[in-house]
Amino acid sequence: MKPKTILHSDCNGFYAGVECLLNPELNNRPMAVCGDPASRHGIVLAKNEKAKAFGVATAETIWQARRKCPDLALVPPHREEYVKYSRLCNEIYLRFTDLVEPFGIDESFLDVSSSRRLFGDGKTIADKIRETVRRELGLTVSVGVSFNKIFAKLGSDYKKPDATTLIPEDGWQSIVWPLPVGALLFVGRKRAAELSKLQIRTIGDLAAYDRAALVKRLGQAGAQLHDHANGVDESPVASFYAEREVKSVGNGATFEYDVTDHEDLKTRVLALCDSVGWRLRKKNLKCRSLQVSIKDPNFKTINRQKTLERPTNLTMDLYRDALELISVNWLMGKPIRLITVTAGKLEQAEKSVEQLNIFEDPGEIAKQEALQSAVDSIREKYGKDSITPGALRPRGASSGAKREK
Ligand SMILES: [Mg+2]
């Protein structure tokens, strides 16, 4: 079978780039997008090249950034514009193939294997895409071209901004193997530290490492990483138009009496979130949004939703966000007749790239996922009621689960 041609296109400095389009004056000076520009303690979410030259770094406070660069222009994020430009980028990619799979807001995979006759080889298409995005949108992208997704992604990181990097079927080893292992997709800082304990520092070290030993150490993830380091990745690029099989997963309960007690409410919300999370995990999905509907005894209903900081299917994540939605939008103690919790914006669990959240510890998330799957496997074995969702509560959290046996 002829090797595939896969592209990964990644916008360079996407948020800052869009902000400079909205306000071209920003182009000429160091600027940063900040969570809360009015507060000294707001955090830098993105910056342009000029700010980078002053040493301004993502995740530092405005106060720290201003010390390095007193002249730094600060702007709040305009999320709806980012979504719009993200769509415009994908529309350009779709001129070359239907197989466009967004991978986060500012990057997408493209399978152009069947487009080569029409548009030329992978590098030619990549160059065309870069030129088109620059001319039509005023943004720059870096594109990796290779025979699988993992190396295409690696290629888009290899040279920035506004560059095409080809990682060819013949001779990829000389480009890929000398790179630090952290350059591989799915190797975060924690995983890299873990690998470095095994003397694995480069992708070449990983490729040469004994596979069985790696699997013993890291489980299935070890096998996958070993494959990737050896250029083996068969994962397909999904069609942009592929029907999302399930659009949302929700669960609601009409209470046998109007609930007013806070602890009572928490227990019930936990049970709902647990059931939603369980169904997501069963389907191997994660959600990016959560909606809560609350109905009062007079059938007055409010619907509130929020976008989650990262995709999740963990009961406790859903619970925390659902409670937040309720407490912000509902006066505690006001009677509730019915609550519905719905998870939306679903995606395949293994595909979901966890947007960098500077406040979260990836090790902590892994720990929670491990705890969750331990609880799930007890349930698989002994039935759904063998263990209550209360088992997932962090120690010290108030327990409302006692009513459940
Ligand atoms: Mg990017």
Side-chain angles (χ1 to χ4, degrees):
M1 209 172 72
K2 211 165 177 263
K4 289 186 197 168
T5 304
I6 310 287
L7 270 50
H8 180 262
S9 183
D10 189 359
C11 296
N12 309 124
F14 181 61
Y15 294 163
V18 172
E19 293 299 336
C20 289
L21 289 173
L22 298 176
N23 179 5
E25 264 172 48
L26 292 171
N27 258 323
N28 308 317
R29 51 185 298 199
M31 66 81 75
V33 182
C34 298
D36 182 7
S39 154
R40 271 159 41 91
H41 301 291
I43 286 206
V44 174
L45 302 172
K47 71 271 170 199
N48 68 359
E49 292 292 328
K50 287 205 169 65
K52 213 183 275 181
F54 280 93
V56 172
T58 301
E60 68 185 0
T61 61
I62 290 174
W63 175 74
Q64 289 170 309
R66 273 261 161 88
R67 246 187 356 188
K68 294 178 194 164
C69 178
D71 215 18
L72 189 67
L74 302 175
V75 295
H78 294 94
R79 297 184 205 284
E80 56 308 327
E81 294 290 336
Y82 307 152
V83 170
K84 177 181 127 190
Y85 277 94
S86 172
R87 180 174 47 80
L88 292 172
C89 284
N90 281 310
E91 280 172 10
I92 290 175
Y93 306 153
L94 285 166
R95 294 176 202 169
F96 298 91
T97 173
D98 285 347
L99 299 177
V100 173
E101 182 184 326
F103 198 62
I105 191 161
D106 70 333
E107 46 187 287
S108 293
F109 287 105
L110 290 74
D111 183 336
V112 296
S113 309
S114 313
S115 321
R116 288 177 293 213
R117 271 216 343 249
L118 219 51
F119 300 108
D121 63 10
K123 183 175 177 311
T124 306
I125 296 176
D127 289 341
K128 253 182 218 163
I129 284 175
R130 278 195 303 119
E131 193 268 326
T132 311
V133 173
R134 192 177 346 109
R135 182 165 39 80
E136 293 187 15
L137 304 183
L139 294 170
T140 64
V141 294
S142 290
V143 189
V145 182
S146 196
F147 53 95
N148 65 42
K149 286 164 92 174
I150 295 293
F151 288 176
K153 168 86 180 159
L154 197 89
S156 71
D157 270 340
Y158 195 84
K159 199 172 162 214
K160 298 189 258 202
D162 202 5
T164 298
T165 299
L166 175 67
I167 298 184
E169 165 100 275
D170 294 319
W172 59 267
Q173 292 89 342
S174 65
I175 303 172
V176 172
W177 280 350
L179 296 173
V181 77
L184 266 188
L185 184 59
F186 306 127
V187 180
R189 213 179 310 162
K190 280 264 155 113
R191 187 45 43 99
E194 209 176 353
L195 291 170
S196 114
K197 283 191 205 131
L198 307 175
Q199 311 305 321
I200 298 174
R201 303 226 152 69
T202 65
I203 299 176
D205 293 341
L206 178 60
Y209 205 85
D210 181 69
R211 184 183 176 89
L214 208 58
V215 171
K216 203 166 166 205
R217 186 89 181 208
L218 305 177
Q220 211 32 51
Q224 197 189 39
L225 290 178
H226 194 258
D227 278 349
H228 291 173
N230 283 289
V232 179
D233 166 34
E234 304 287 339
S235 59
V237 175
S239 165
F240 195 78
Y241 303 107
E243 277 288 341
R244 287 276 162 101
E245 216 176 281
V246 202
K247 289 238 168 13
S248 66
V249 169
N251 202 0
T254 300
F255 305 139
E256 61 276 23
Y257 54 89
D258 295 334
V259 171
T260 51
D261 178 66
H262 190 48
E263 285 303 313
D264 191 5
L265 177 65
K266 278 162 76 176
T267 304
R268 287 159 185 279
V269 172
L270 179 58
L272 289 175
C273 291
D274 189 48
S275 144
V276 170
W278 166 261
R279 282 161 62 201
L280 287 173
R281 297 191 297 275
K282 279 274 160 205
K283 296 189 161 91
N284 204 24
L285 296 168
K286 288 185 177 181
C287 65
R288 276 186 184 276
S289 79
L290 192 72
Q291 187 189 320
V292 172
S293 303
I294 309 175
K295 195 181 273 185
D296 76 6
N298 301 316
F299 289 86
K300 216 180 134 221
T301 308
I302 64 159
N303 296 301
R304 293 291 182 275
Q305 64 172 3
K306 68 176 283 190
T307 300
L308 307 182
E309 281 171 12
R310 61 181 167 83
T312 188
N313 54 21
L314 297 177
T315 294
M316 290 315 291
D317 283 349
L318 301 172
Y319 173 60
R320 198 186 50 228
D321 286 312
L323 271 192
E324 190 198 305
L325 274 172
I326 295 167
S327 64
V328 169
N329 295 293
W330 195 260
L331 195 63
M332 280 305 153
K334 223 173 117 189
I336 296 177
R337 173 191 166 84
L338 171 147
I339 285 199
T340 310
V341 174
T342 306
K345 293 194 188 148
L346 305 182
E347 53 189 61
Q348 290 298 316
E350 69 270 15
K351 243 203 284 185
S352 81
V353 180
E354 303 193 342
Q355 278 292 95
L356 171 80
N357 182 334
I358 47 187
F359 301 110
E360 274 177 323
D361 174 0
E364 193 49 45
I365 296 170
K367 232 187 282 169
Q368 288 169 18
E369 286 184 345
L371 174 61
Q372 182 77 73
S373 74
V375 168
D376 285 352
S377 53
I378 292 172
R379 284 181 171 157
E380 295 275 2
K381 237 180 175 159
Y382 302 106
K384 172 109 173 57
D385 296 326
S386 57
I387 185 163
T388 71
L392 291 164
R393 276 183 197 269
R395 247 169 303 169
S398 70
S399 164
K402 49 183 175 279
R403 57 175 48 246
E404 296 189 29
K405 283 186 285 294

